[in-house]
Amino acid sequence: MKILITGNNGFVGSNLSLYLQEKGFQLVGITRTPKTTNEINYNSLSTEIWDESDAIIHLAGKAHDLKNTLDEQEYFEVNTELTKKLFQQFLKSTCKVFIYMSSVKAVADKVATTLTENVEPTPATPYGKSKLAAEQYLLSQKLPKGKFLYILRPCMIHGPGNKGNLNLLYKLVSKGIPYPLGAFKNKRSFLSIENLNFLILELLKQKPSSGVYNAADDEAIATTDLIKLMSESLDKKPRIVSVTPKFVKVLATFGTLVKLPFTKEKLQKLTENYVVSNQKIKDTLNIQLPVSTKKGLIRTIKSFNNK
């Protein structure tokens, strides 16, 4: 089975490529700057290449900008317009499967209870809006018989080699700095790269009905429990203190105004409730995820410890 994959050199793309190759798939990376014989430029995607391929996994995109330095239009040029271009080529070809990597942020920046696929999307950021615009375009197009479209909405993805917010939190714990947000009680969902790879493999193998699917681990976890897992991996006693939430929010507001590392957005990510349901995709594929929430997080945390 031959698969086209955009964003193959990113964290998700590199892990997924290795995983699928080990399962016997032939991979062709689609990138702006090809570096190997197994990669081609976006502009070199000929009809022949499309027709020779069984599926495309579209991972490439403009990531969420934590520093708010990007122009809004940049998100739409990459996350929306590139997706449109690829999907039009897909529709004209004999390629059967299109998997689009969207995001839970295409639906909501804050979640009151549990995020399901039935929640009405109200994205708050240019990133989320551009992802939703791509989704809406894909779903508006008539899908010929025999073709399948899967839109995946993952929550925060992690795994060995990941350099995201979990790594930043780990650095704080490794330096012995007390975690000051113990007064905040929250639960948030994560997604291990192992579980994401498994879900994509099952979509390729089973080819269920086209649709939009959340992707998350089975259990949500509190940030304070993350701190405890990280401390255990370092053989340290967890240092969690409970600073008054009102005072913390004032500090975060000040940090946002003067552009300090601790901002309102960072505070939200550390203390928000963001629980994502994965029930739809599990029921559709009739599967159980191979890696538990705790096991996946421990594997990621240990990779930080080995650096």
Side-chain angles (χ1 to χ4, degrees), residues 198-211:
F198 174 75
L199 289 173
I200 291 174
L201 174 64
E202 289 301 310
L203 287 173
L204 292 170
K205 287 167 54 179
Q206 296 189 34
K207 296 186 180 65
S209 299
S210 298

Side-chain angles (χ1 to χ4, degrees), residues 160-196:
N162 182 236
K163 297 180 180 179
N165 288 322
L166 283 179
N167 195 9
L168 295 175
L169 198 59
Y170 177 84
K171 288 180 179 179
L172 181 147
V173 175
S174 65
K175 292 177 181 178
I177 300 172
Y179 180 70
L181 307 179
F184 292 85
K185 306 302 178 185
N186 73 316
K187 290 277 188 179
R188 76 172 294 135
S189 294
F190 293 88
L191 175 62
S192 73
I193 190 65
E194 293 93 345
N195 283 337
L196 176 59

Side-chain angles (χ1 to χ4, degrees), residues 18 25 48 59 63 76 91 115 147 149 215 225 242 303-304:
L18 181 60
F25 290 80
E48 182 180 4
L59 304 175
F76 286 89
L91 291 176
L115 189 71
K147 285 183 180 286
L149 167 64
D225 289 331
S242 299
S303 75
F304 300 152

Side-chain angles (χ1 to χ4, degrees), residues 51-288:
D51 289 344
E52 290 174 351
S53 303
D54 300 284
I56 177 169
I57 304 171
H58 181 31
L59 304 175
K62 182 69 71 174
H64 188 48
D65 177 27
L66 295 176
K67 297 181 180 180
N68 296 315
T69 57
L70 296 177
D71 183 82
E72 183 169 337
Q73 189 57 35
E74 290 185 57
Y75 289 103
F76 286 89
E77 287 174 0
V78 178
N79 295 341
T80 309
E81 296 306 318
L82 177 58
T83 304
K84 288 182 180 181
K85 178 181 177 182
L86 291 171
F87 197 66
Q88 282 299 322
Q89 293 175 337
F90 166 75
L91 291 176
K92 295 174 184 177
S93 73
T94 59
C95 187
K96 299 295 185 183
V97 178
F98 192 104
I99 298 178
Y100 174 57
M101 188 67 70
S102 184
S103 169
V104 290
K105 295 298 183 178
V107 184
D109 257 41
K110 297 181 180 180
V111 177
T113 53
T114 300
L115 189 71
T116 69
E117 291 83 353
N118 295 325
V119 172
E120 187 68 26
T122 55
T125 64
Y127 170 75
K129 291 175 182 177
S130 64
K131 286 288 188 179
L132 178 62
E135 286 189 17
Q136 291 172 331
Y137 174 81
L138 295 176
L139 294 170
S140 72
Q141 303 302 297
K142 185 177 180 180
L143 201 63
K145 186 177 180 180
K147 285 183 180 286
F148 301 89
L149 167 64
Y150 306 118
I151 296 173
L152 287 180
R153 290 174 176 166
C155 55
M156 185 185 292
I157 304 167
H158 67 89
N162 182 236
K163 297 180 180 179
N165 288 322
L166 283 179
N167 195 9
L168 295 175
L169 198 59
Y170 177 84
K171 288 180 179 179
L172 181 147
V173 175
S174 65
K175 292 177 181 178
I177 300 172
Y179 180 70
L181 307 179
F184 292 85
K185 306 302 178 185
N186 73 316
K187 290 277 188 179
R188 76 172 294 135
S189 294
F190 293 88
L191 175 62
S192 73
I193 190 65
E194 293 93 345
N195 283 337
L196 176 59
N197 290 343
F198 174 75
L199 289 173
I200 291 174
L201 174 64
E202 289 301 310
L203 287 173
L204 292 170
K205 287 167 54 179
Q206 296 189 34
K207 296 186 180 65
S209 299
S210 298
V212 180
Y213 298 96
N214 288 344
D217 292 337
D218 287 328
E219 300 174 23
I221 187 170
T223 306
T224 50
D225 289 331
L226 266 178
I227 297 296
K228 292 173 183 177
L229 286 177
M230 291 174 178
S231 299
E232 288 173 14
S233 76
L234 290 162
D235 294 323
K236 292 177 177 285
K237 184 177 180 181
R239 302 186 67 187
I240 301 172
V241 296
S242 299
V243 179
T244 306
K246 187 175 180 180
F247 179 67
V248 172
K249 291 175 182 178
V250 170
L251 287 179
T253 300
F254 177 74
T256 301
L257 291 172
V258 300
K259 298 182 178 180
L260 294 176
F262 186 62
T263 64
K264 289 193 293 184
E265 189 167 14
K266 284 282 178 63
L267 177 63
Q268 179 184 331
K269 283 188 174 295
L270 289 169
T271 62
E272 69 182 348
N273 285 298
Y274 206 107
V275 180
V276 180
S277 170
N278 64 9
Q279 201 59 51
K280 180 182 177 181
I281 195 167
K282 286 172 63 178
D283 288 346
T284 299
L285 296 171
N286 191 28
I287 49 93
Q288 294 297 319

